Amino acid sequence: MYRLMLVAKIFPVDNYEDEDEEDEAFDPAEVERDRLLRKKLLDDFPTSELFELQSASLFLIEIAKGIRAGENGQPEEMFGDVVLARGPALVLQAYQFITTGDLVGYLEIVPPSLVSYLSNPLERILEERKTKPPDNSSHWSSLLDDVRGGNDMCKFPFIFGCGWDDLRRFSISLGLCGIVGLVKGHLIANIVEGSSLRNELLEAHSSPTSTNLLEQMHQVKTPPWDTWNNGDWLCEPCIVELFQAHLHLWLLERKREKGDEIKEDCWYGYNCRTQRHSVHHAGRLNHLCEPTR
């Protein structure tokens, strides 16, 4: 990471933000000059450290892509070269605040000097040394002696509580945009309390103490999920399934905790379509319940 910080410090993204290939003043020779300067800087490092540098750079790009996906609710192209030019500190900041705004900035396209910002000089050096970098499936061995869970059938192992902070940043389904879509039926479209239910969920999701959200979901779980324990390893799809099955119960419990009156259950529960357009019906009955008809 210190090597990446050094490269980003010497060749910061700010130097290239106004670069435009269609500008008359644009000089392709300047782009090549900067690439050669980066190559000269990296050429002083031994091959083993270059492998580490490559793995660390891929790690930062994966973090940024994950945050971007969770932030927007769908996979999006992420300017990996720009991420590396911003440096590890801004990636850490993006991770902490769950936003890639400062990483992307106002760039709509990648300036020519940032294309293959790190990969170009690395590839040239390794080619000259007649060495190939590790492939995508094994490049983590440059940084880690052992990858815990690397041979598991599921590639998304997270422990309850400990892993939620990462999932809410990187998961499309469990991110800020996606989690509302996990609420059953038409509850979020409820004409009386849909907005308050949505805000309740988003506030809990975004809170610095939202690590407890998984634990709270665990406390309201029903069969067949009641055999799952708080310390079990669960993959992302399993956690999504848990949320889908229990978010309405969690919201109901939140209302009880606040002392709100719990009305008589609607026969059609969360699937009720009338709650979407009838103020009288939506306000008179509880829809945070299972359908009985």
Side-chain angles (χ1 to χ4, degrees), residues 21 23 39 45 79 83 93 127 148 150 153 176 197 201 206 256 268 290:
E21 285 183 287
D23 194 321
K39 176 179 178 292
F45 303 149
F79 300 152
V83 169
Q93 177 181 298
E127 185 177 351
R148 186 175 182 183
M153 290 294 290
L176 193 60
L197 294 177
L201 177 56
S206 303
R256 288 198 180 103
Y268 300 98
E290 299 290 330

Side-chain angles (χ1 to χ4, degrees), residues 253-271:
E253 189 59 31
R254 296 281 282 199
K255 291 186 68 173
R256 288 198 180 103
E257 290 172 358
K258 291 189 295 185
D260 293 350
E261 178 187 0
I262 306 302
K263 310 287 180 56
E264 178 185 352
D265 288 352
C266 172
W267 289 341
Y268 300 98
Y270 46 71
N271 284 335

Side-chain angles (χ1 to χ4, degrees), residues 275-289:
Q275 66 177 311
R276 299 179 300 177
H277 56 79
S278 172
V279 173
H280 174 71
H281 179 85
R284 184 172 61 86
L285 298 173
N286 169 49
H287 293 88
L288 293 167
C289 58

Side-chain angles (χ1 to χ4, degrees), residues 10-262:
I10 298 175
F11 304 97
V13 68
D14 295 345
N15 289 356
Y16 314 109
E17 283 186 320
D18 297 327
E19 193 176 67
D20 187 347
E21 285 183 287
E22 298 183 2
D23 194 321
E24 290 183 2
F26 174 73
D27 184 0
E30 289 294 313
V31 176
E32 180 62 17
R33 180 186 66 84
D34 273 11
R35 286 178 175 172
L36 290 174
L37 287 174
R38 287 196 291 274
K39 176 179 178 292
K40 181 179 179 181
L41 173 67
L42 297 175
D43 210 8
D44 288 336
F45 303 149
T47 301
S48 59
E49 290 188 11
L50 292 181
F51 287 166
E52 293 173 1
L53 193 71
Q54 182 199 39
S55 294
S57 67
L58 292 174
F59 174 63
L60 293 179
I61 292 172
E62 285 187 18
I63 289 177
K65 284 183 176 179
I67 298 169
R68 190 72 165 176
E71 187 178 29
N72 296 331
Q74 59 183 0
E76 281 193 13
E77 181 181 354
M78 187 70 200
F79 300 152
D81 300 296
V82 177
V83 169
L84 299 179
R86 295 288 187 193
L90 270 182
V91 177
L92 177 59
Q93 177 181 298
Y95 172 82
Q96 291 171 331
F97 292 96
I98 324 178
T99 176
T100 57
D102 288 340
L103 279 178
V104 177
Y106 299 103
L107 295 176
E108 295 182 358
I109 61 171
V110 179
S113 289
L114 293 183
V115 174
S116 303
Y117 177 81
L118 199 64
S119 60
N120 179 275
L122 279 175
E123 288 172 1
R124 290 187 182 188
I125 294 169
L126 294 177
E127 185 177 351
E128 289 175 1
R129 297 182 185 182
K130 301 186 183 331
T131 306
K132 290 185 178 180
D135 59 34
N136 289 337
S137 62
S138 61
H139 77 87
W140 295 120
S141 60
S142 300
L143 295 173
L144 305 171
D145 295 327
D146 178 57
V147 179
R148 186 175 182 183
N151 296 320
D152 291 350
M153 290 294 290
C154 175
K155 296 303 179 184
F156 303 97
F158 288 98
I159 294 181
F160 266 151
C162 299
W164 170 243
D165 204 38
D166 289 324
L167 277 176
R168 74 190 180 107
R169 287 174 166 85
F170 301 145
S171 168
I172 293 176
S173 298
L174 296 167
L176 193 60
C177 294
I179 196 166
V180 174
L182 299 182
V183 180
K184 282 190 172 183
H186 305 295
L187 289 171
I188 299 302
N190 184 295
I191 195 170
V192 172
E193 62 177 358
S195 294
S196 62
L197 294 177
R198 183 180 187 276
N199 292 337
E200 183 82 32
L201 177 56
L202 293 181
E203 181 181 349
H205 182 281
S206 303
S207 168
T209 60
S210 68
T211 301
N212 294 325
L213 189 55
L214 261 181
E215 296 175 3
Q216 292 170 22
M217 212 62 56
H218 182 76
Q219 291 168 5
V220 297
K221 68 182 185 295
T222 57
W225 295 273
D226 56 346
T227 58
W228 294 3
N229 298 314
N230 195 38
D232 289 346
W233 285 79
L234 297 178
C235 64
E236 180 184 357
C238 285
I239 294 178
V240 169
E241 184 181 340
L242 181 70
F243 270 74
Q244 284 177 321
H246 298 93
L247 271 174
H248 67 289
L249 298 177
W250 175 80
L251 288 166
L252 181 63
E253 189 59 31
R254 296 281 282 199
K255 291 186 68 173
R256 288 198 180 103
E257 290 172 358
K258 291 189 295 185
D260 293 350
E261 178 187 0
I262 306 302

